[in-house]
Amino acid sequence: MSDIKRIRKIRNIGIIAHIDAGKTTVSERILYYTGRSHKMGEVHDGTTVMDWMDQEQERGITITSAVTTCFWRNHEIHLVDTPGHVDFTVEVERSLRVLDGAVAVLCAVGGVEPQSETVWHQADKYRVPKIAFVNKMDRIGADFPGVIRQMEEKLKAVPLPLQMPVGAEQDFRGVVDLLRMRQVVWLEETLGAAYEYVDIEPELRSAAEEARDALVAKVAEFDDTLLEKYLEGEFITAEELIPVIRKATLELKLVPVLCGSALKNKGIQPLLDAIVDFLPSPLDIPPVVGVNPETGAKEERHASSKEPLAALAFKIFMDEGRKLTYVRIYSGTMSVGMDVYNASKKTREKLSRIFSMHANKRERKDKAEAGDIVALMGMKSATTGDTFCDPRFPILLEPIDVYEPVISMAVEPRTRADQDKLMDSLMKMSEEDPTFRFHEDPDTGQIIIRGMGELHLEVLLTRLERDYHVGVRAGKPQVVYRETIQEEARADASFDREIGGTRHFARVSVIVRPRERGKGNIVSIDIDPAKVTETFLPAFEQGVEDALSSGTIMGYPVTDVEVSVVDADFDVQHPSELAFRVATTMAVRNACELGKLMLLEPYMTVEVLTPEEFLGEVISDLNTRKGRIESITARKAVHVVTALAPLSKMFGYSTDLRSATQGRATFTMQFSHYDTAVDSPT
């Protein structure tokens, strides 16, 4: 098979969704119906292939993204099942960075939930084409038209329903394929593996014709030939519609929508057909763009095995002490034993093994080519976001964004033996997870770990015990605060000291100004170039960075500040980088003091789904936590309360909410922004 033909038949896709929308169940059915697995796993039984970690099976949630490969209609589908919980959103972010398409699983009852919005916008950021699968059509409260409306309102998407459900809730029994105007019925005795096409039920015929007319009218807007045929009243076939739908999907102008019930084994095969028909191959996406680290010029790599190698590491995993590096190969070829250049670390490494992954199972390969997603062994210095390339044709691809942790906890080893292993284990875990950080507090000697939420830290502590066999005691979770200034201020500082017989002297003046929340820090060096040569400018910048790394209220990093270095005096005979750096640090700290430093804390967006009878209790409890109610929306049998609340007041909310609502309300919480702290932490 030619290289182009092979790549055209590849689909690199991710399954993305809110927690509990049914992503892993959809993935399990895909593996079963494509023949990749021979037993259907269930999340509630802890028997799924993709949720293979002990903690995933115990908790019934996906914690780490799992990669597998399956085949459908002679197409090779590389499938990534991503987590839905907001604490593990970096897993979604780094997967979407290397995927070409996504299947967004939406709950027919819950609709477009908060994390669905988050992952949808993450996919938009990387311009990833999407199809939507409305799952759980068999559940009480299932509302297919309602989910379509929410996609328009909340996601600002243009949904294109390709199917119409036949029945709903306990009466859900199949779908109408609107493209070919036929009803699809799944045979229960075959666990949904066998299905047949039948005539549309007479009572559904007129609704199906109306829905198909709406579909054709929407698709015709994207093609003049189809529009002409539609206006003349001619019948437009599925074969004419599919290429136009595909083109509009790839351009992010349409989102094909299908429906079904993965748990009841209905709707998966048409979803696989849609993946092949509407989601892109590596040839359908623009060539990957990077920078030549030697010349600084922008370069492209096309999806071809004949081009120089360009691959991005998107996930690191420690498997029984060995480091696996998951990569997406954009161009070129990797083979066992070859020398690979890590352009991010400027190191060369020998590739010892290549694996095709099936969740946690590995299949050895001799080589991997453009379009493949594989795991590598032997990449000792690799971290998330590193670029691997041909040493003769270096290229540096855009790294992967990571999120700042918002919650911290002190840990200490249980025994002397644990102490020796603890730092090494934490180092390995931080290599795997870029949102996990740790450091030793120089004042107390405590080891502080930081993460994205209570569940994130809880999972990490359990992994320390089980996977790394390190016993630890943990304190209560703590909020990671920030500091900022309230007003503009100017200050200067001098550094004058003799070190090693050389005088180091500088006096530096700076101005600090507050910036909008969430805008971060910016630094400008506004000194007359005739006064200070360019070689010393990095010393000023480093001095500002040192000063902003810890404020004077409680030592938290200073954020949302604009710093201008406006003047400097120094010993012309012996200009000193050290003096510039230290004087700048002192001046910025003085200016921040004068600018009235204040504490900021993380505020979270909280969304609670509660039955109407508990609405009062939910609102009252959020008010006592100093939350601000943003909206209350009625959604059939439940009300959705959206609020902003300080993270410091939300510890233990899960237990309190269950108690107040007899276990019938659920909530999600994700980081929104930093704002003025409601109380000073003790």
Side-chain angles (χ1 to χ4, degrees), residues 406-431:
V406 296
I407 193 168
S408 69
M409 181 187 284
V411 295
E412 59 182 41
R414 283 216 175 96
T415 65
R416 173 74 63 184
D418 290 327
Q419 187 166 3
D420 298 336
K421 291 190 290 183
L422 179 58
M423 294 303 273
D424 185 49
S425 303
L426 291 174
M427 181 66 75
K428 286 178 179 172
M429 285 166 64
S430 68
E431 276 189 60

Side-chain angles (χ1 to χ4, degrees), residues 199-477:
D199 291 336
I200 298 169
E201 295 173 19
E203 61 270 25
L204 294 174
R205 188 86 206 177
S206 65
E209 284 170 355
E210 196 179 308
R212 189 182 200 273
D213 188 62
L215 180 154
V216 173
K218 195 175 274 188
V219 176
E221 291 175 23
F222 298 93
D223 186 272
D224 292 341
T225 310
L226 288 192
L227 185 59
E228 207 172 297
K229 287 186 81 169
Y230 174 71
L231 293 174
E232 288 172 7
E234 291 183 45
F235 183 79
I236 299 173
T237 65
E239 286 64 35
E240 293 172 286
L241 289 167
I242 285 171
V244 181
I245 296 171
R246 177 181 179 81
K247 184 171 182 290
T249 303
L250 299 189
E251 292 170 356
L252 305 186
K253 292 174 180 172
L254 283 179
V255 180
V257 185
L258 301 94
C259 63
S261 167
L263 190 63
K264 295 294 167 66
N265 311 316
K266 293 180 174 70
I268 300 302
Q269 293 92 340
L271 175 63
L272 282 160
D273 287 336
I275 288 169
V276 168
D277 289 338
F278 305 122
L279 289 181
S281 76
L283 292 172
D284 295 315
I285 60 168
V288 68
V289 178
V291 174
N292 184 319
E294 291 173 2
T295 66
K298 280 193 175 181
E299 293 184 9
E300 290 184 345
R301 295 285 186 271
H302 295 81
S304 166
S305 300
K306 296 178 176 62
E307 291 229 349
L309 173 67
L312 188 74
F314 68 97
K315 180 179 167 71
I316 306 294
F317 186 72
M318 296 294 175
D319 187 16
E320 297 172 358
R322 293 184 170 186
K323 184 175 182 176
L324 279 178
T325 305
Y326 287 72
V327 299
R328 158 71 190 269
I329 303 174
Y330 288 100
S331 63
T333 303
M334 282 183 156
S335 54
V336 172
M338 76 183 283
D339 278 339
V340 178
Y341 181 59
N342 182 335
S344 307
K345 298 284 188 299
K346 299 181 179 174
T347 57
R348 285 193 187 212
E349 308 212 56
K350 190 171 284 294
L351 178 50
S352 59
R353 287 181 192 171
I354 301 174
F355 298 106
S356 175
M357 298 301 294
H358 179 48
N360 62 329
K361 296 180 177 63
R362 307 183 298 208
E363 295 167 9
R364 288 180 74 157
K365 298 177 67 155
D366 292 327
K367 71 170 187 174
E369 299 175 276
D372 286 346
I373 292 178
V374 291
L376 312 176
M377 202 173 271
M379 305 288 107
K380 294 187 181 70
S381 65
T383 54
T384 298
D386 283 1
T387 303
F388 298 122
C389 56
D390 187 322
R392 296 166 301 164
F393 304 98
I395 190 170
L396 195 56
L397 304 180
E398 185 188 341
I400 295 170
D401 290 340
V402 295
Y403 298 87
E404 280 298 311
V406 296
I407 193 168
S408 69
M409 181 187 284
V411 295
E412 59 182 41
R414 283 216 175 96
T415 65
R416 173 74 63 184
D418 290 327
Q419 187 166 3
D420 298 336
K421 291 190 290 183
L422 179 58
M423 294 303 273
D424 185 49
S425 303
L426 291 174
M427 181 66 75
K428 286 178 179 172
M429 285 166 64
S430 68
E431 276 189 60
E432 284 186 275
D433 182 352
T435 59
F436 168 63
R437 315 275 170 84
F438 71 96
H439 70 277
E440 192 168 345
D441 189 310
D443 298 326
T444 63
Q446 284 184 311
I447 295 166
I448 309 296
I449 62 172
R450 296 189 292 148
M452 299 300 292
E454 285 183 275
L455 179 63
H456 187 202
L457 293 183
E458 200 179 303
V459 166
L460 290 166
L461 289 174
T462 308
R463 282 200 65 199
L464 268 178
E465 299 258 359
R466 290 187 186 175
D467 299 353
Y468 293 93
H469 311 293
V470 178
V472 290
R473 282 189 289 268
K476 287 183 179 177

Side-chain angles (χ1 to χ4, degrees), residues 3 30 80 88 148 376 429 554 617 648:
D3 191 44
I30 286 174
V80 180
F88 309 106
I148 299 291
L376 312 176
M429 285 166 64
M554 295 188 69
E617 286 91 332
S648 59

Side-chain angles (χ1 to χ4, degrees), residues 133-158:
F133 180 71
V134 180
N135 192 27
K136 303 191 179 184
M137 285 301 303
D138 59 310
R139 288 264 305 273
I140 292 171
D143 181 8
F144 184 65
V147 177
I148 299 291
R149 280 194 303 276
Q150 285 186 44
M151 286 179 69
E152 292 170 334
E153 292 162 10
K154 291 189 172 184
L155 304 175
K156 305 295 182 243
V158 182

Side-chain angles (χ1 to χ4, degrees), residues 62-216:
T62 303
I63 290 169
T64 182
S65 51
V67 182
T68 190
T69 303
C70 57
F71 294 86
W72 186 256
R73 282 173 37 190
N74 293 321
H75 284 68
E76 185 177 340
I77 300 173
H78 300 144
L79 181 74
V80 180
D81 178 26
T82 64
H85 196 287
V86 68
D87 282 14
F88 309 106
T89 196
V90 73
E91 290 284 338
V92 186
E93 181 88 20
R94 60 187 180 179
S95 299
L96 285 170
R97 172 70 175 79
V98 298
L99 293 172
D100 303 329
V103 176
V105 179
L106 302 172
C107 174
V109 182
V112 177
E113 295 167 284
Q115 189 64 2
S116 303
E117 288 186 66
T118 302
V119 296
W120 190 278
H121 296 317
Q122 283 174 310
D124 281 344
K125 180 168 91 174
Y126 293 116
R127 296 198 59 75
V128 174
K130 297 168 284 293
I131 57 179
F133 180 71
V134 180
N135 192 27
K136 303 191 179 184
M137 285 301 303
D138 59 310
R139 288 264 305 273
I140 292 171
D143 181 8
F144 184 65
V147 177
I148 299 291
R149 280 194 303 276
Q150 285 186 44
M151 286 179 69
E152 292 170 334
E153 292 162 10
K154 291 189 172 184
L155 304 175
K156 305 295 182 243
V158 182
L160 182 74
L162 302 181
Q163 296 175 341
M164 187 179 88
V166 178
E169 303 180 343
Q170 66 270 25
D171 188 38
F172 177 69
R173 53 193 183 278
V175 299
V176 171
D177 174 357
L178 297 174
L179 288 173
R180 296 179 177 82
M181 286 301 280
R182 59 194 183 181
Q183 192 166 322
V184 191
V185 177
W186 281 268
L187 307 179
E188 295 287 344
E189 61 273 15
T190 65
L191 290 176
Y195 55 100
E196 57 189 21
Y197 301 110
V198 298
D199 291 336
I200 298 169
E201 295 173 19
E203 61 270 25
L204 294 174
R205 188 86 206 177
S206 65
E209 284 170 355
E210 196 179 308
R212 189 182 200 273
D213 188 62
L215 180 154
V216 173

Side-chain angles (χ1 to χ4, degrees), residues 510 521-523 525 537-551 556-559 563 565 580-581 584-586 588-589:
V510 301
N521 298 328
I522 54 170
V523 181
I525 312 297
L537 298 187
F540 292 109
E541 289 170 1
Q542 191 59 55
V544 174
E545 196 178 305
D546 293 345
L548 299 182
S549 66
S550 62
Y556 289 105
V558 179
T559 189
V563 180
V565 182
F580 286 138
R581 179 172 170 176
T584 304
T585 300
M586 292 161 65
V588 173
R589 288 202 167 134

